[in-house]
Amino acid sequence: RLALDYEHPKGGRAGTEIEYTGRAFSTNEAGNLVALKVSTQIHMHASYPFQNGVGETSPELFIRAHNITDALVEPQIGLPAPGRSVLAGFRISW
């Protein structure tokens, strides 16, 4: 796993992460070990906090993209991990 993050002096943040899954094995229905596919996923995120929060509140706009290349990730035979996903929103905490 390799991650690179950047934070702007005014508070904006962005980053990317590369997640590599190397050689792994799983058993099939006959109980034999079978090699799983090697995979590389790329994840990205960005956020922007609004500095004019009221009192103790801190609102933030964000977006995250997981597995943006839609790589096949197989943690177990016949059970692939989720593909590409994007999440965006507005978060406020106080």
Side-chain angles (χ1 to χ4, degrees):
R1 188 179 296 238
L2 175 67
L4 177 65
D5 290 311
Y6 172 75
E7 186 166 343
H8 190 272
K10 295 196 180 214
R13 292 184 292 272
T16 188
E17 180 179 329
I18 299 172
E19 185 176 347
Y20 173 77
T21 303
R23 190 172 178 192
F25 296 89
S26 184
T27 55
N28 62 13
E29 346 26 86
N32 300 321
L33 282 178
V34 177
L36 300 174
K37 294 183 187 271
V38 171
S39 64
T40 303
Q41 298 177 74
I42 299 172
H43 315 296
M44 299 179 97
H45 64 90
S47 63
Y48 180 77
F50 295 96
Q51 302 297 329
N52 295 334
V54 178
E56 296 289 320
T57 62
S58 55
E60 178 179 46
L61 190 61
F62 69 90
I63 185 166
R64 294 184 194 139
H66 295 275
N67 194 4
I68 63 173
T69 59
D70 203 21
L72 172 63
V73 180
E74 193 177 30
Q76 181 178 333
I77 288 180
L79 184 65
R84 176 184 308 120
S85 65
V86 177
L87 174 66
F90 182 77
R91 177 181 21 229
I92 187 165
S93 57
W94 61 94

